[in-house]
């Protein structure tokens, strides 16, 4: 059984500054995605569907929300070996520092991993969207006789400078590696890809940040404590030192959620008629916390290309190409377009709503007569009546106490209160 051979290690990332303010009070893997999930649900679900049920999630910043989600979601039988455990950075007599990089995070946690029997360490990222047959990748690793296997994705010349680019030989072993090469230096870095990928100009193999290490090899490469990052140091050094590093090509949907723009676009893409990331695949469904919530209630609202989560009360005029999170409330004559509304963690009581109205302050959700587009509304926002929020590429990056603008996307911060008649954008 693969579960007895493989230990899965999910990297939670650093501070996630490029995703702020979504990561200002939670770790990157805990960021809500698709209205009802968390980013960490993606790699965990991929593992569970491939019968890989021994998992560690490594994190160090704002881990309380992630701890709570994992604890309340992934509960296995007491008679199985399955687990999903959080490992936050900890000071020990041998190490007094935070995680310095991806490899250093794994190195500092090795004493936990060594308590288990395993042949292969599967390293996954906690901030990517994909539905991947990990069993197939592990089988390819075994058949190749590799020391290390790297999942690769064919990308175009325009996309290549954002990734580590790998060059493979005829047997799919990686011979050379370059980190984020400029476009004018890409000549000769093309690899053998499928005809379908060639037709769309995706001939460069990018590292997906998904690795398989033989146990002994991982222990060996981590012995050098001066190396702190897999992509920038461990992998290039393994290639140049003669390790057998295999490239496993994956041509399915994969999105690296590293910036506000990519996060925003990936969520809205879920509303497409046939989305590349399929939430409705019963064999590869995304697992998450079960909640006892009422069905969503829709009053006279026109819905188009919208994902509506449970427990919502929608009274607006139009919701067009939007993802609406749990417990969302949208007032009368309000229009939302190209918006991800994350919803709320709780319902306000009628007394609390009345108190807000008496004080003239907005209560949870979006008020009446609002017009909102190209925006992310963080959890537990209170947006008053007659508010206009219009993002767009014409807007400069901005930071205020209640919202930020990143690449034209307006992000209303967690628990922000936007007063009536405010115009943003």
């Amino acid at each position: 059984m693969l579960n007895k051979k493989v230990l899965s290690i999910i990297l939670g990332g650093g501070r996630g500054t490029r995703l702020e303010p979504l990561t200002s009070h939670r770790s990157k893997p805990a960021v809500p995605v698709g209205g009802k999930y968390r980013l960490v649900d993606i790699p965990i679900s991929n593992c569970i569907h491939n019968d890989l049920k021994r998992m560690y999630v490594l994190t160090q910043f704002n881990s309380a929300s992630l701890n709570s989600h994992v604890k309340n979601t992934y509960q296995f039988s007491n008679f199985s070996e399955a687990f999903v455990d959080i490992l936050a950075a900890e000071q020990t007599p041998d190490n007094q520092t935070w995680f310095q990089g991806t490899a250093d995070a794994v190195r500092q946690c090795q004493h936990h991993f060594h308590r288990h029997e395993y042949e292969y360490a599967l390293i996954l990222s906690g901030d990517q969207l994909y539905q991947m047959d990990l069993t197939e990748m592990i089988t390819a690793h075994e058949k190749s006789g590799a020391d290390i296997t790297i999942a690769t994705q064919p990308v175009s010349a325009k996309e290549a400078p954002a990734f580590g680019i790998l060059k493979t030989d005829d047997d799919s072993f990686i011979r050379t590696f370059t980190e984020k090469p400029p476009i004018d230096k890409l000549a000769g870095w093309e690899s053998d890809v499928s005809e379908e990928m060639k037709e769309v100009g995706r001939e460069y193999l990018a590292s997906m940040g998904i690795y398989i290490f033989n146990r002994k090899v991982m222990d060996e490469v981590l012995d050098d404590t001066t190396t702190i990052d897999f992509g920038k140091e461990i992998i290039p050094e393994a290639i140049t030192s003669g390790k057998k590093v295999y490239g496993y090509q994956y041509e399915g949907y994969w999105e690296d959620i590293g910036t506000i723009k990519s996060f925003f676009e990936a969520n809205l893409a879920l509303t497409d008629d046939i989305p590349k990331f399929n939430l409705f695949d019963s064999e590869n469904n995304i697992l998450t916390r079960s909640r006892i919530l009422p069905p969503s209630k829709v009053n006279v609202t026109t819905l188009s290309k919208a994902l509506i989560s449970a427990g919502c009360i929608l009274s607006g005029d139009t919701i067009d190409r939007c993802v609406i999170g749990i417990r969302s409330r949208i007032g009368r004559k309000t229009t939302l377009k190209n918006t991800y509304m994350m919803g709320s963690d709780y319902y306000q009581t009628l007394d609390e709503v009345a108190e807000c109205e008496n004080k003239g302050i907005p209560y949870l959700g979006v008020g009446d007569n609002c017009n909102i587009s190209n925006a992310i509304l963080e959890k537990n926002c209170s947006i008053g009546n007659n508010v206009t929020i219009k993002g767009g590429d014409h807007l400069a990056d901005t930071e205020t106490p209640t919202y930020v603008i990143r690449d034209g996307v307006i992000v209303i911060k967690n628990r922000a209160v936007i007063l009536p008649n405010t115009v943003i954008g």
Side-chain angles (χ1 to χ4, degrees):
M1 291 178 62
L2 278 183
N3 191 48
K4 293 185 177 181
K5 287 185 177 182
V6 180
L7 188 69
S8 301
I9 301 165
I10 299 168
L11 302 176
R15 287 186 181 274
T17 53
R18 293 187 301 161
L19 270 180
E20 288 183 349
L22 306 181
T23 52
S24 297
H25 59 283
R26 61 166 80 89
S27 63
K28 203 185 307 185
V31 172
V33 63
K36 61 176 288 185
Y37 310 101
R38 304 288 187 117
L39 276 172
V40 76
D41 293 329
I42 309 302
I44 292 177
S45 296
N46 272 278
C47 285
I48 290 175
H49 289 315
N50 286 272
D51 197 32
L52 304 172
K53 298 177 182 175
R54 299 186 299 164
M55 289 166 268
Y56 282 107
V57 182
L58 276 52
T59 187
Q60 64 182 340
F61 295 105
N62 294 325
S63 56
S65 175
L66 181 65
N67 271 311
S68 175
H69 176 73
V70 169
K71 176 177 68 69
N72 290 315
T73 304
Y74 300 101
Q75 300 176 6
F76 300 97
S77 166
N78 291 332
F79 300 101
S80 79
E81 296 180 353
F83 64 86
V84 183
D85 285 350
I86 303 287
L87 292 179
E90 57 183 353
Q91 290 188 342
T92 68
D94 297 326
N95 198 316
Q96 301 289 318
T97 65
W98 290 93
F99 298 154
Q100 301 301 304
T102 54
D104 185 61
V106 174
R107 179 186 295 114
Q108 290 195 39
C109 294
Q110 274 186 297
H111 60 289
H112 295 290
F113 307 150
H114 286 165
R115 296 172 185 169
H116 302 277
E117 293 294 327
Y118 64 96
E119 295 180 35
Y120 311 119
L122 173 64
I123 312 292
L124 302 169
S125 174
D127 57 354
Q128 298 174 347
L129 288 183
Y130 59 96
Q131 290 164 311
M132 185 174 176
D133 188 339
L134 296 171
T135 303
E136 188 176 281
M137 180 180 174
I138 295 164
T139 300
H141 173 80
E142 291 183 309
K143 286 183 177 179
S144 71
D147 298 315
I148 305 168
T149 291
I150 303 173
T152 64
Q153 172 95 173
V155 297
S156 66
K158 182 180 179 181
E159 298 168 314
F163 299 99
I165 299 299
L166 313 164
K167 179 76 173 177
T168 57
D169 63 17
D170 293 339
D171 296 319
S172 295
F173 282 95
I174 297 166
R175 299 306 179 193
T176 51
F177 173 93
T178 181
E179 178 70 14
K180 297 183 178 179
I183 290 180
D184 59 359
K185 301 293 184 182
L186 282 174
W189 282 94
E190 298 88 348
S191 286
D192 186 23
V193 297
S194 69
E195 289 300 320
E196 183 181 356
M197 292 293 102
K198 285 182 182 179
E199 288 175 4
V200 293
R202 295 172 61 177
E203 297 186 75
Y204 304 92
L205 292 181
S207 170
M208 295 168 60
I210 297 175
Y211 315 113
I212 299 172
F213 282 81
N214 292 349
R215 178 172 177 163
K216 289 182 179 179
V217 173
M218 187 171 78
D219 290 347
E220 179 185 336
V221 297
L222 292 179
D223 274 345
D224 180 3
T225 57
T226 64
T227 56
I228 62 172
D229 191 86
F230 282 115
K232 295 177 182 177
E233 297 167 311
I234 296 288
I235 298 302
E237 289 181 17
I239 294 169
T240 57
S241 67
K243 294 278 192 302
K244 298 178 68 177
V245 184
Y246 183 78
Y248 174 79
Q249 279 195 44
Y250 175 71
E251 296 184 358
Y253 176 80
W254 173 78
E255 184 68 42
D256 186 28
I257 307 295
T259 65
I260 289 294
K261 188 74 169 179
S262 63
F263 175 83
F264 177 68
E265 290 178 346
N267 275 279
L268 292 194
L270 298 174
T271 68
D272 292 345
D273 288 342
I274 304 178
K276 294 180 180 178
F277 187 78
N278 186 4
L279 293 175
F280 298 90
D281 183 350
S282 58
E283 293 184 359
N284 294 289
N285 59 328
I286 306 305
L287 309 173
T288 194
R289 179 182 173 185
S290 297
R291 297 177 176 88
I292 301 175
L293 289 173
S296 288
K297 180 179 180 181
V298 181
N299 302 313
V300 305
T301 304
T302 299
L303 303 174
S304 176
K305 294 185 181 298
L307 291 181
I308 309 299
S309 303
C312 300
I313 302 174
L314 311 178
S315 303
D317 276 353
T318 303
I319 296 175
D320 181 16
R321 198 166 184 259
C322 294
V323 177
I324 307 299
I326 58 172
R327 304 185 190 89
S328 291
R329 181 193 66 85
I330 297 175
R332 294 167 295 178
K333 297 183 179 180
T334 283
T335 295
L336 265 68
K337 185 174 183 179
N338 295 331
T339 293
Y340 178 16
M341 182 176 181
M342 291 187 177
S344 299
D345 290 319
Y346 58 94
Y347 291 114
Q348 287 178 308
T349 66
L350 292 177
D351 288 341
E352 289 170 334
V353 169
E355 183 178 357
C356 288
E357 290 180 339
N358 290 334
K359 292 181 178 178
I361 59 175
Y363 50 96
L364 281 180
V366 177
D368 300 337
N369 302 302
C370 294
N371 193 334
I372 299 173
S373 61
N374 299 313
I376 298 173
L377 311 182
E378 248 273 33
K379 282 267 188 103
N380 308 312
C381 291
S382 300
I383 297 175
N385 297 335
N386 308 305
V387 168
T388 297
I389 300 171
K390 284 194 174 183
D393 292 337
H394 63 286
L395 298 175
D397 285 2
T398 303
E399 174 115 29
T400 78
T402 55
Y403 69 89
V404 304
I405 302 174
R406 295 285 183 268
D407 295 321
V409 181
I410 298 174
V411 185
I412 305 300
K413 294 183 178 180
N414 184 272
R415 300 185 183 277
V417 176
I418 307 299
L419 297 176
N421 305 306
T422 297
V423 176
I424 302 173

